[in-house]
Amino acid sequence: WQDGEVTDLGTLGGKESAAIDINGAGQIVGHADTADGNLRAVLWQDGEITDLGTLGGHNSAAVAINEVGQIVGHAHTADDVFHAVLWQDGQIADLGTLGGGESGAKDINNVGQIVGEAQTTDSSKHAVLWQDGQIIDLGTLGADISRAEGINDAGQIVGVVTIVEASSYLTRGVLWQEADN
């Protein structure tokens, strides 16, 4: 929606698309169906749609873009598992996991810090921070599962922790921050 007008952003030849995030320059990210039914991360910019690609698999999705134009989300590998990725300068970078199979990025700040979740070697899911080429396990704060959802330019991270008890789930919102914040 802009100036009282609604614009259909289009697809990659498939039936559906979803716009997820927009930056101050008007760059929009999300995902769109291809003609063969795959889901692809896309960038809409200046009236054009760009397929951001995958890590060798069929599907990907973009979930956040910062003011510099760095995009994060997840993409299928050739082994058909999702990994967190960073799209930057026309390239895709696999952000890795904590030794488990899957990961997913949720947000990126204007400093380039990325947050999300990653599986450990025992397949549990932990909130993580990717910065300076490293993955940092934020832990679960004593819960069973954690996930980082957002990060601001000061490096404060918000997310959830989940305790699993007899087939029910108890979740709590949490804030991770440096001691001097």
Side-chain angles (χ1 to χ4, degrees):
W1 293 269
Q2 183 175 341
D3 300 324
E5 297 290 322
V6 177
T7 302
D8 182 344
L9 298 173
T11 71
L12 294 171
K15 294 180 181 181
E16 298 181 11
S17 65
I20 307 298
D21 198 18
I22 185 170
N23 68 11
Q27 296 172 302
I28 302 166
V29 296
H31 51 82
D33 288 345
T34 62
D36 59 2
N38 292 314
L39 183 70
R40 288 297 181 86
V42 294
L43 168 67
W44 288 280
Q45 177 176 308
D46 300 324
E48 300 290 323
I49 184 173
T50 302
D51 182 340
L52 297 175
T54 71
L55 294 171
H58 296 289
N59 299 301
S60 60
V63 298
I65 184 169
N66 66 13
E67 295 305 318
V68 186
Q70 296 171 304
I71 303 165
V72 296
H74 52 270
H76 266 131
T77 66
D79 296 332
D80 204 33
V81 295
F82 277 113
H83 276 203
V85 294
L86 167 67
W87 289 278
Q88 176 175 277
D89 300 325
Q91 302 293 317
I92 185 174
D94 185 339
L95 298 175
T97 71
L98 291 171
E102 296 186 349
S103 63
K106 299 287 188 176
D107 197 16
I108 183 169
N109 66 13
N110 292 317
V111 183
Q113 296 171 305
I114 302 164
V115 295
E117 65 183 353
Q119 283 185 323
T120 63
T121 54
D122 68 358
S123 295
S124 63
K125 293 182 180 179
H126 287 205
V128 293
L129 166 67
W130 288 276
Q131 74 177 11
D132 301 324
Q134 301 293 318
I135 184 172
I136 300 165
D137 186 344
L138 298 175
T140 62
L141 304 174
D144 299 299
I145 302 166
S146 63
R147 181 176 65 248
E149 293 283 351
I151 184 168
N152 66 16
D153 289 344
Q156 295 171 305
I157 301 165
V158 294
V160 297
V161 295
T162 304
I163 299 169
V164 181
E165 292 180 353
S167 73
S168 67
Y169 298 91
L170 174 64
T171 61
R172 291 286 188 260
V174 295
L175 168 69
W176 289 272
Q177 66 181 1
E178 293 290 327
D180 59 348
N181 275 345

